[in-house]
């Protein structure tokens, strides 16, 4: 595949004596939205993934070139022509409750993750046996070679392949795990949580960083240099920006574009794009119910979208912070110009209105669910206006993040508690290739909310995994994009290169999404 740089027992809850003797080092952080779900396997939301990397660890990590490296595992041995993998855990790994990390914990965790994640499900489909022949050995016996196994088990995009105790990993993949016990560098202080307002993480004194190597993205040693991380939810971006400027908080994950000039004028604040893959904004359509069960109607919306309208609303006029002309793969090795006329061609709203009537639209209500506090709210407003101008009977519904997450999994008709469309964003990392591209799947009832069905997209995805080289993979992705222009599993709205903002006394922030090891505060 092509690659490119992207850039415990109760005693364990106590700070070591040498640290207690001095003031605890606290990093105060404002996440993009509230952490309402704490299980990074059950949900694909990025706030939960970021939380997951504080609390949990993964068997492998990815460096900034997306190359896998052993993390919880000491290493692996591959035999039988690539069909037998034995992974050996490092010694001394412990969960936050003091229990040792055993291979059977990993097996249960992998199975649960594989039931939720698109790449995980592909790995499980080719797995004939997943077992724990000893406390430290995880065994995969495959039906055919799957060279991407380490990349899958170290996947940095959602869903996170985190390792949790077997008793928790045995929870149904369709039910969120409520107890937060991992083996990562921080412990979740559930007793200090204030839903909708605050989440607290304490340094895990018994965490064992991987010895040797160079820290890079999620790979290498994870050295904890702060004692406590405090997440404070601030739905109003202006309030969060003021808190950063005054020094009340240290790091604001995702300031809105209209606040950047103000913050840049403060010499104590650093503004930077730490994740060059950015965010891909999308309009997700419900394929189960009218009107978007009609592919012709979905194509009319696709052919009416002007990506720059959405990006300017979100990021302003500074074109260094956004890109239009974005297809079904993020800019990178698998992106192409195939079929892009559907996105970049001339727009004619009057023609779209005529085409909508010709396609059989019968004035069915289009229920657009919107997260009022999300950075995508401005994007949603542009989208709602576009749908109205095309001629849809649009019914916007504003709600908070928790209600949004609950509503979008409902499969009932829009007028009976379901929905027709919503707006969200996915990290470019998720859309670099078919491997973890959640919203490009076309496997119907098993697909992400919206439930598109496209046998052709699925067949091309299967062929991509079996492709002998990058050139073949790229050609298959071009075919996938052409098919997506016809089936319209979702509508790309552009790529934002979202800056993050932090106080200058915070150093060593890792490249990529928000990670909390190897950084320091002076």
């Amino acid at each position: 595949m092509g690659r490119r740089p992207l850039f415990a027992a109760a005693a364990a809850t106590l700070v070591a004596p040498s640290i207690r003797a001095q003031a605890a080092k606290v990093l105060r952080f404002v996440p993009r939205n509230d952490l309402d779900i704490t299980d990074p396997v059950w949900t694909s939301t990025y706030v939960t993934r970021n939380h997951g990397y504080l609390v949990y660890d993964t068997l492998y990590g990815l460096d900034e070139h997306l190359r896998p490296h052993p993390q919880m595992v000491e290493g692996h041995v591959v035999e039988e022509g690539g069909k037998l993998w034995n992974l050996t855990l490092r010694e001394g790994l412990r969960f936050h409750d003091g229990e040792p990390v055993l291979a059977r914990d990993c097996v249960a965790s992998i199975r649960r993750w594989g039931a939720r994640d698109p790449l995980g499900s592909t790995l499980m489909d080719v797995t004939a046996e997943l077992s724990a022949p000893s406390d430290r050995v995880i065994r995969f016996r495959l039906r055919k070679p799957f060279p991407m196994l380490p990349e899958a088990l170290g996947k940095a995009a959602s869903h996170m392949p985190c390792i949790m105790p077997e008793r928790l990993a045995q929870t149904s993949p369709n039910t969120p795990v409520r107890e937060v016990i991992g083996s990562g560098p921080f412990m979740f202080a559930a007793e200090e949580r204030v839903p909708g307002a605050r989440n607290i993480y304490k340094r895990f004194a018994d965490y064992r960083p991987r010895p040797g190597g160079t820290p890079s993205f999620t790979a290498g040693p994870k050295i904890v240099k702060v004692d406590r991380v405090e997440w404070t939810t601030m739905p109003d971006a202006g309030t969060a920006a003021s808190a950063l400027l005054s020094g009340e908080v240290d790091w604001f994950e995702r300031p809105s574009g209209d606040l950047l000039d103000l913050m840049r004028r403060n010499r104590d604040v650093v503004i930077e794009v730490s994740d060059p893959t950015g965010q891909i904004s999308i309009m997700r359509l419900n394929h189960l119910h009218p009107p978007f069960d009609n592919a012709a109607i979905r194509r009319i919306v696709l052919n009416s979208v002007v990506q720059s309208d959405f990006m300017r609303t979100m990021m302003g006029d500074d074109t260094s912070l956004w890109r239009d002309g974005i297809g079904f793969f993020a800019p990178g090795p698998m992106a192409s110009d195939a079929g892009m006329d559907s996105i970049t061609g001339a727009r004619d709203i009057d023609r779209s209105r005529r085409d909508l009537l010709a396609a059989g639209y019968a004035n069915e209500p289009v229920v657009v669910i919107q997260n009022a506090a999300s950075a995508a709210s401005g994007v949603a407003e542009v989208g709602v206006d576009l749908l109205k101008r095309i001629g849809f009977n649009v019914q916007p519904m504003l709600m908070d993040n928790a209600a949004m997450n609950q509503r979008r999994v409902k499969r009932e008709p829009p007028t009976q508690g379901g929905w027709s469309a919503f707006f969200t964003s996915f990290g470019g990392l998720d859309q670099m290739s078919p491997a973890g591209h959640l919203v490009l799947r076309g496997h119907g009832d098993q697909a992400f909310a919206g439930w598109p069905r496209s046998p052709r997209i699925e067949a091309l995805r299967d062929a991509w995994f079996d492709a002998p080289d990058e050139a073949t993979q790229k050609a298959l992705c071009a075919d996938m994009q052409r098919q997506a222009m016809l089936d319209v599993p979702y509508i790309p709205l552009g790529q934002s290169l979202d800056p993050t903002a932090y106080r200058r006394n915070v150093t060593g922030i890792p490249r990529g999404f928000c990670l909390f090891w190897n950084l320091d505060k002076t």
Side-chain angles (χ1 to χ4, degrees):
M1 288 181 59
R3 294 289 181 264
R4 69 173 185 131
L6 301 177
F7 27 152
T13 66
L14 303 177
V15 181
S18 61
I19 296 174
R20 283 204 306 267
Q22 49 190 295
K25 192 177 289 188
V26 180
L27 182 81
R28 297 176 174 87
F29 174 75
V30 180
R32 67 176 67 197
N33 45 42
D34 182 44
L35 177 70
D36 59 308
I37 300 170
T38 58
D39 181 355
V41 172
W42 189 81
T43 182
S44 63
T45 58
Y46 293 128
V47 67
T48 304
R49 176 204 59 192
N50 296 351
H51 148 88
Y53 272 94
L54 277 154
V55 175
Y56 300 98
D57 215 342
T58 53
L59 296 176
Y60 293 82
L62 300 183
D63 66 18
E64 64 179 12
H65 302 274
L66 299 187
R67 294 179 301 223
H69 299 265
Q71 186 61 35
M72 292 178 71
V73 297
E74 185 178 275
H76 60 253
V77 176
V78 184
E79 300 174 310
E80 298 182 7
K83 293 197 290 186
L84 177 65
W85 291 66
N86 285 317
L87 287 54
T88 302
L89 289 170
R90 290 192 282 125
E91 292 185 342
L93 300 179
R94 290 195 172 276
F95 288 113
H96 299 155
D97 60 2
E99 294 296 318
V101 177
L102 303 177
R104 63 173 179 263
D105 299 305
C106 301
V107 167
S109 297
I110 294 166
R111 290 189 184 281
R112 185 169 185 269
W113 165 74
R116 299 288 298 182
D117 181 77
L119 180 52
S121 67
T122 301
L123 172 59
M124 296 310 296
D125 285 345
V126 300
T127 299
E129 173 196 340
L130 173 56
S131 62
S134 71
D135 284 347
R136 290 182 57 208
V137 175
I138 305 155
R139 175 169 293 164
F140 282 86
R141 192 176 296 279
L142 306 177
R143 296 185 178 90
K144 64 178 182 178
F146 192 81
M148 287 185 64
L149 187 145
E151 294 169 87
L153 298 181
K155 182 187 179 197
S158 301
H159 301 255
M160 180 190 180
C162 62
I163 301 302
M164 59 182 65
E166 180 184 35
R167 63 183 178 83
L168 299 179
Q170 289 176 338
T171 303
S172 165
N174 299 315
T175 301
V177 171
R178 304 296 182 185
E179 187 178 359
V180 184
I181 300 291
S183 64
F186 290 89
M187 303 174 64
F188 184 64
E191 72 282 0
E192 295 190 56
R193 184 183 191 196
V194 179
R198 185 179 70 183
N199 292 281
I200 304 298
Y201 305 86
K202 298 177 181 179
R203 175 179 172 270
F204 180 34
D206 286 346
Y207 180 72
R208 289 198 174 191
R210 180 164 188 83
T214 301
S216 181
F217 196 28
T218 64
K222 299 177 180 178
I223 308 300
V224 176
K225 300 180 180 180
V226 297
D227 306 308
R228 179 180 170 98
V229 176
E230 296 182 354
W231 281 22
T232 301
T233 302
M234 295 185 181
D236 180 72
T239 301
S242 296
L244 182 71
L245 293 172
S246 67
E248 295 175 32
V249 300
D250 304 303
W251 187 3
F252 180 10
E253 179 183 4
R254 195 178 181 186
S256 56
D258 61 327
L259 296 170
L260 295 178
D261 286 343
L262 172 67
M263 291 187 290
R264 286 191 180 106
R265 292 196 290 268
N266 189 310
R267 61 186 299 174
D268 294 323
V269 171
V270 177
I271 308 290
E272 69 175 15
V273 175
S274 60
D275 182 0
T277 69
Q279 298 279 324
I280 310 296
S281 293
I282 73 165
M283 183 192 308
R284 185 69 164 183
L285 305 176
N286 190 332
H287 288 230
L288 298 183
H289 304 290
F292 297 128
D293 59 339
N294 184 332
I297 290 179
R298 297 195 298 269
R299 288 193 291 271
I300 290 167
V301 180
L302 176 68
N303 294 332
S304 303
V305 160
V306 178
Q307 291 187 350
S308 60
D309 290 347
F310 292 87
M311 292 296 99
R312 281 199 170 88
T313 296
M314 187 177 203
M315 302 302 296
D317 291 328
D318 185 351
T319 55
S320 70
L321 296 179
W322 55 266
R323 299 186 182 114
D324 56 2
I326 300 299
F328 285 90
F329 293 98
M334 298 298 130
S336 75
D337 294 331
M340 285 297 291
D341 282 351
S342 294
I343 289 175
T344 59
R347 272 34 188 157
D348 184 337
I349 291 297
D350 290 336
R351 183 186 63 197
S352 295
R353 294 177 69 91
R354 293 193 298 271
D355 290 346
L356 183 63
L357 294 175
Y361 178 61
N363 203 43
E364 297 96 343
V366 171
V367 176
V368 179
I369 54 176
Q370 301 173 234
N371 178 358
S374 168
S377 59
V379 167
E381 291 175 6
V382 175
V384 165
D385 178 67
L386 174 65
L387 292 171
K388 288 179 177 178
R389 288 190 291 120
I390 293 172
F392 289 101
N393 173 15
V394 184
Q395 298 181 7
M397 298 190 66
L398 288 172
M399 57 193 68
D400 61 23
N401 190 55
M404 175 86 169
N405 288 332
Q406 293 170 4
R407 180 87 179 237
R408 75 180 187 184
V409 299
K410 294 182 179 295
R411 304 190 186 201
E412 289 83 1
T415 55
Q416 299 176 29
W419 55 275
S420 305
F422 66 84
F423 297 80
T424 189
S425 63
F426 284 83
L429 185 63
D430 291 280
Q431 299 192 3
M432 294 294 289
S433 79
H437 203 323
L438 187 67
V439 288
L440 192 56
R441 296 298 304 271
H443 54 328
D445 289 346
Q446 300 176 58
F448 181 71
W451 308 284
R453 183 174 299 280
S454 174
R456 175 65 174 158
I457 287 178
E458 288 296 294
L460 290 166
R461 181 179 185 271
D462 290 343
W464 184 88
F465 280 103
D466 294 332
D469 52 46
E470 183 177 322
T472 305
Q473 288 181 325
K474 187 173 178 65
L476 288 164
C477 284
D479 286 342
M480 287 184 73
Q481 179 158 285
R482 292 187 188 95
Q483 189 64 41
M485 297 295 181
L486 298 175
D487 296 336
V488 195
Y490 69 95
I491 297 175
L493 303 176
Q495 179 187 39
S496 58
L497 302 174
D498 305 300
T500 194
Y502 56 90
R503 302 285 296 182
R504 199 170 293 277
N505 64 331
V506 178
T507 59
I509 289 179
R511 297 282 289 171
F513 54 75
C514 295
L515 302 170
F516 295 85
W517 53 79
N518 298 322
L519 57 75
D520 204 354
K521 177 183 173 183
T522 58

